[in-house]
Amino acid sequence: MKEYRNYQLKGNNTFGIPALCDRFIEYAGGEELKSLYEQGIFNGQWMSVGCGANLLFCGDYHGVIIHSVASGIKVLEENDNNLLVRADAGIILDDFIEHAVSNGWGGMENLSAIPCSVGAAPVQNVGAYGVEAKDVVECVHVFDTSNGLTRTFSNVECTFGYRNSSFKSNPQYVVLSVDFRLTKAGSHQLHLDYGNLRSSLPADITSGKEGALREIRGAVRRIRREKLPDPAEIGSAGSFFKNPVVDRAVVDNLLKDYPQMPFYEMKNGCKVPAGWLIEQAGWKGRKMGTVGVYEKQALVLVNLGGATGFDVWNLAQSIVASIRDKFGLEISPEVIKVP
Ligand SMILES: Cc1cc2nc3c(=O)[nH]c(=O)nc-3n(C[C@H](O)[C@H](O)[C@H](O)COP(=O)(O)OP(=O)(O)OC[C@H]3O[C@@H](n4cnc5c(N)ncnc54)[C@H](O)[C@@H]3O)c2cc1C
């Protein structure tokens, strides 16, 4: 376990926003969390941080940040069709996917290149190109900071939703490791019908084709590079806003003024792409001092250099107000504002 005082978080959030935290503790697993529990760390202000790819620091954090550096990968069981693999929370999700694809294990290739730790993947139920964490998570092992005990959540108990899970509303659980159910050659199920993925792949791609997982991973990485800023070059947290879900009657009303408005019918209403709304309101590519709206994707707010969390937050608030004025819709941040 390593501990740093007055730790600078600029390198621990993909916005690249400077902020200090009182204590930053790197831990390697449940035993070390148990000792932090016994020291009473969890009685005060604290939070888990993975890659900081969904966080916006608006000021210093006066508390303890815990960060997993656990990095084990273990095959727990295997048959001819699939296998169960345990990955520790501190692993970079994309490194784990590279490991899976290299071993011919399928199921996560569409999630390639999402900046994320394994620990945060079930918390956020990360998703891309038609696959979400919920599709491959068998169970999640957590440390319960309210009683110092470990516990396992089955997939159903995680109550996964759109970028949501039971962990999001219960931050007392610290994810220690995740068991993923992955497929072996002959049993892969490819998901190619999302966005322009299929057209970016060779026409002869099938689940039985040698190297199919590698080709999909390559295509996803290429498409993402074209559309999204690389956090190493331009600070962002990916999509800043969630897509609003509204009643069909609201959509029908809006279609009278905006007949070209895209929407997707869901069980609980209609999802309207927030990126489309923001673009229609004229924000795409706009710059406001140190911050701006990414020119290739209106959902992404970027740090143009030297931004504070409040610079980003103020831009976000201006966008929310303009969508309310223009469409009468409320969009809300996917990004978590800290503190
Ligand atoms: C360029 C870019 C592209 C992106 N593209 C996508 C995308 O395609 N799809 C998508 O879903 N997301 C995307 N995101 C958002 C981001 O990658 C996800 O939200 C991701 O899950 C964040 O992981 P993290 O490790 O950085 O978590 P953090 O941002 O550090 O934390 C997120 C939340 O998880 C909690 N948490 C972190 N670790 C643990 C743990 N071990 N135990 C319990 N709670 C924990 C935190 O307390 C916080 O509430 C993108 C972000 C960027 C910057």
Side-chain angles (χ1 to χ4, degrees), residues 21-185:
C21 72
D22 294 352
R23 296 168 75 181
F24 186 88
I25 299 179
E26 293 176 347
Y27 65 95
E31 285 306 307
E32 291 185 349
L33 286 182
K34 180 95 185 162
S35 114
L36 294 177
Y37 172 81
E38 282 157 3
Q39 291 167 44
I41 294 284
F42 301 116
N43 297 331
Q45 185 73 27
W46 69 277
M47 72 177 285
S48 291
V49 170
C51 301
N54 204 41
L55 303 178
L56 178 65
F57 286 100
C58 290
D60 295 339
Y61 184 77
H62 294 296
V64 181
I65 286 184
I66 58 164
H67 173 76
S68 174
V69 290
S71 60
I73 296 177
K74 192 167 156 194
V75 175
L76 302 175
E77 56 180 60
E78 192 169 3
N79 60 36
D80 289 346
N81 304 318
N82 60 56
L83 72 167
L84 189 64
V85 193
R86 179 166 302 166
D88 283 340
I91 301 172
I92 301 292
L93 187 71
D94 195 58
D95 292 348
F96 179 66
I97 297 172
E98 172 59 32
H99 181 79
V101 168
S102 300
N103 282 284
W105 306 337
M108 297 180 73
E109 53 286 349
N110 293 42
L111 302 177
S112 291
I114 300 178
C116 184
S117 55
V118 164
V123 178
Q124 300 283 116
N125 186 23
V126 285
Y129 295 95
V131 173
E132 289 180 301
K134 74 168 174 54
D135 302 324
V136 282
V137 168
E138 176 106 348
C139 60
V140 178
H141 305 283
V142 303
F143 180 85
D144 185 345
T145 57
S146 70
N147 58 18
L149 302 175
T150 51
R151 176 175 166 188
T152 298
F153 281 74
S154 68
N155 180 299
V156 170
E157 287 170 325
C158 294
T159 46
F160 289 120
Y162 168 57
R163 303 293 169 268
N164 207 354
S165 68
S166 44
F167 307 115
K168 260 196 127 159
S169 43
N170 293 291
Q172 86 210 52
Y173 298 116
V174 179
V175 175
L176 295 171
S177 59
V178 182
D179 292 357
F180 295 102
R181 177 72 63 184
L182 303 177
T183 52
K184 290 171 71 173

Side-chain angles (χ1 to χ4, degrees), residues 155-332:
N155 180 299
V156 170
E157 287 170 325
C158 294
T159 46
F160 289 120
Y162 168 57
R163 303 293 169 268
N164 207 354
S165 68
S166 44
F167 307 115
K168 260 196 127 159
S169 43
N170 293 291
Q172 86 210 52
Y173 298 116
V174 179
V175 175
L176 295 171
S177 59
V178 182
D179 292 357
F180 295 102
R181 177 72 63 184
L182 303 177
T183 52
K184 290 171 71 173
S187 299
H188 298 322
Q189 289 180 345
L190 307 187
H191 299 272
L192 307 178
D193 294 319
Y194 193 99
N196 52 346
L197 183 54
R198 190 180 283 277
S199 61
S200 310
L201 286 159
D204 66 346
I205 189 116
T206 60
S207 55
K209 188 183 173 197
E210 173 94 25
L213 303 179
R214 174 69 59 201
E215 288 193 36
I216 295 168
R217 174 164 162 77
V220 168
R221 290 175 68 88
R222 268 195 314 279
I223 301 169
R224 292 182 66 96
R225 256 198 314 270
E226 281 160 19
K227 282 198 191 161
L228 291 166
D230 176 353
E233 289 160 20
I234 305 175
S236 88
S239 303
F240 196 93
F241 299 100
K242 290 189 228 175
N243 296 316
V245 176
V246 296
D247 288 344
R248 176 70 209 218
V250 174
V251 166
D252 286 341
N253 219 9
L254 281 167
L255 285 172
K256 289 180 200 153
D257 291 329
Y258 306 99
Q260 74 290 23
M261 184 180 81
F263 66 94
Y264 307 96
E265 303 246 27
M266 299 171 61
K267 271 187 236 139
N268 55 341
C270 294
K271 184 151 94 178
V272 182
W276 185 87
L277 299 169
I278 297 168
E279 190 171 345
Q280 294 301 305
W283 287 99
K284 195 173 178 184
R286 258 172 82 176
K287 294 180 179 154
M288 281 172 63
T290 55
V291 291
V293 179
Y294 194 49
E295 68 268 17
K296 295 182 195 163
Q297 169 54 271
L299 257 190
V300 176
L301 306 191
V302 290
N303 175 0
L304 298 169
T308 65
F310 276 112
D311 293 338
V312 179
W313 191 249
N314 290 339
L315 171 62
Q317 293 309 302
S318 303
I319 294 173
V320 169
S322 96
I323 300 304
R324 190 183 298 131
D325 286 350
K326 189 171 168 67
F327 299 102
L329 296 181
E330 284 300 317
I331 55 168
S332 56

